[in-house]
Structure formats: C-alpha cells, structure tokens
C-alpha cells in the first residue's frame, strides 16, 4: 500500500502502528488482493482522509464503515464519492438533513473534500474492499488500525466532536474520552434507518455549537458546486 501521501503529522503519530506485525500482514493481504481482484479505492487514495486532514487540524471526526464498493465511488473518505459519480442513498439523506438543519443547498456532486480540508476527518473503520463485495476486507486488521486513529484523536488535548451514526459506529464510543470530547450519536443515514432517528438529529449545527463553545473554528458545511 502507498503511504507516501499520508500527511507528515499522521506519519509521526502512527509511526509505531505502521511497524506492528498486524499492519504489515494487512499490507501484504491488500497487496495480494489487488493482484487477484479489483480493489477499491485505488491504491493512491486509500489514505485520503489522512492526507487532507492533518492530525493537528482535526476538529470533527465523522466515522463511516465499509468503503463504497461500486465503480469509481470510493476515494478514501467516508460517505464521499468522486466528482461525476451519483450520490449514493446515504449521502442523499445526509444532504437532506443538512438542508433542514442548516439550510444548505444540495450540491451538484457528492465530493466531501471541502469538509476534510476544514478539519473534518472522514474516517471509515475499514479502508479497502473488493469490487462489488461489501465487507470483503472486514476483520483483516483495518479495524485495529482505525481504532488506533480514533484513540489518537481522543488523546488530543483540545476538544474534538465525534459524530457516530448507527450501532457499529457507536460501539467505538468506548475509545473516546467523553469527558473531554463531544459525541453526537444518531441512527445511520442509510434509507433503512434514516427515519428512525437520523432525520431531525441536527448533527451539523450541534457540531458547530460544540466547536464554537470550545473556541474553535466552525465548519462551513455548505459544499460549493463543482
């Protein structure tokens, strides 16, 4: 796997993790999978979240699960798709909640990099997947790596807002120092669960209120059209 694009701040914070036997086994597994199968996202995009959002700048951590597994969707940031790709149903529901919560207009794309560049770490718990096979790289070591990332963010001295949608994300709450950080939980934006507590949960205004209370810059959640 190509780690060259990971921001230097993360390279430093995760240096010990990269040396662990489990991570080296994970790298070997993913490399072998790429030789035998189509794997998403492309190799140079696996660590996009750690490229665009430096460790020191993380103000919000939004946790996703498995990467999108259809063509050209996944690019290393949870819920985000590449420009020109139709927004998947969960992302459509995120945009609906953004509209009711903050009055944001729906953009003509689903590319969430402007959020990442403002300090929103768009982290999936698993960072690769075989094409068209959901959860195919689950349980291979990514979870240990991303748990370490969540733990490192929780160790930051300044308050961070953690947004946990759905039961799998909420299980990671045990990794977070809830005495120092703000955790926003609700149902997942998937069409299967969005009406059971995601719609109306106002995560974006709540995140900005928490950031403001901590004296940190708020996020401009309005995505510009491309």
């Amino acid at each position: 796997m190509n780690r060259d694009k990971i921001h230097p701040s993360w390279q430093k914070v995760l240096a010990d993790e990269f040396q662990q036997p489990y991570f080296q086994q994970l790298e070997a597994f993913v490399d072998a999978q790429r030789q035998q199968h189509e794997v998403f996202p492309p190799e140079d995009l696996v660590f996009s979240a750690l490229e665009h959002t430096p460790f020191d700048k993380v103000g919000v951590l939004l946790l996703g699960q498995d990467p999108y597994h259809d063509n050209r969707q996944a690019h290393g940031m949870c819920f985000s798709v590449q420009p020109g790709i139709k927004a998947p149903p969960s992302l459509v529901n995120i945009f609906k909640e953004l509209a009711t919560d903050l009055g944001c207009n729906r953009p003509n794309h689903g590319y969430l990099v402007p959020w990442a560049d403002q300090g929103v770490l768009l982290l999936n718990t698993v960072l690769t997947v075989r094409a068209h096979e959901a959860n195919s790289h689950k349980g291979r070591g990514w979870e240990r790596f991303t748990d370490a990332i969540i733990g490192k963010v929780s160790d930051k001295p300044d308050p961070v807002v953690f947004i946990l949608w759905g039961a799998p994300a909420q299980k990671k709450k045990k990794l977070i120092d809830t005495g120092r950080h703000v955790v926003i939980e609700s149902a997942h934006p998937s069409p299967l669960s969005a009406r059971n507590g995601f719609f109306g949960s106002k995560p974006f205004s709540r995140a900005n209120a928490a950031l403001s209370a901590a004296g940190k810059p708020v996020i401009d959640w309005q995505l510009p059209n491309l």
Side-chain angles (χ1 to χ4, degrees), residues 63-118:
L63 192 63
Q65 293 161 36
D66 204 45
Y68 293 127
H69 56 265
D70 282 338
N71 295 336
R72 294 189 58 229
Q73 290 180 318
H75 67 100
M77 296 184 182
C78 70
F79 298 106
S80 182
V81 290
Q82 305 235 46
I85 298 297
K86 181 181 177 183
S90 291
L91 185 53
V92 170
N93 285 339
I94 289 169
F95 289 150
K96 287 178 181 176
E97 180 61 19
L98 258 176
T100 56
D101 185 5
L102 290 174
C104 292
N105 297 318
R106 179 173 168 179
N108 62 358
H109 61 90
Y111 192 54
L112 305 183
V113 166
W115 294 355
D117 289 340
Q118 294 178 75

Side-chain angles (χ1 to χ4, degrees), residues 92-199:
V92 170
N93 285 339
I94 289 169
F95 289 150
K96 287 178 181 176
E97 180 61 19
L98 258 176
T100 56
D101 185 5
L102 290 174
C104 292
N105 297 318
R106 179 173 168 179
N108 62 358
H109 61 90
Y111 192 54
L112 305 183
V113 166
W115 294 355
D117 289 340
Q118 294 178 75
V120 181
L121 184 64
L122 297 167
L123 183 68
N124 277 319
T125 54
V126 174
L127 301 190
T128 56
V129 66
R130 271 199 308 272
H132 319 301
E133 295 182 50
N135 292 311
S136 48
H137 287 181
K138 185 178 179 181
R140 293 290 186 161
W142 279 126
E143 294 89 345
R144 181 170 169 182
F145 178 67
T146 54
D147 280 1
I149 292 173
I150 295 166
K152 296 291 187 185
V153 173
S154 178
D155 289 342
K156 280 166 64 87
D158 54 314
V160 173
V161 180
F162 291 81
I163 300 178
L164 308 178
W165 290 332
Q170 288 159 20
K171 287 178 182 173
K172 304 297 184 180
K173 189 175 179 179
K174 65 182 184 290
L175 304 172
I176 301 165
D177 181 348
T178 54
R180 290 190 301 116
H181 303 296
V182 174
V183 178
I184 297 173
E185 301 175 81
S186 77
H188 193 274
S190 148
L192 299 173
S193 56
R195 299 192 183 282
N196 297 323
F198 175 73
F199 289 134

Side-chain angles (χ1 to χ4, degrees), residues 45-59:
L45 297 177
V46 170
F47 297 110
S48 289
L50 303 181
E51 176 187 354
H52 283 268
T53 310
F55 176 71
D56 317 323
K57 195 175 177 181
V58 177

Side-chain angles (χ1 to χ4, degrees), residues 209-223:
L211 291 169
S212 184
K216 299 180 76 170
V218 299
I219 305 299
D220 179 3
W221 296 102
Q222 176 65 66
L223 292 162

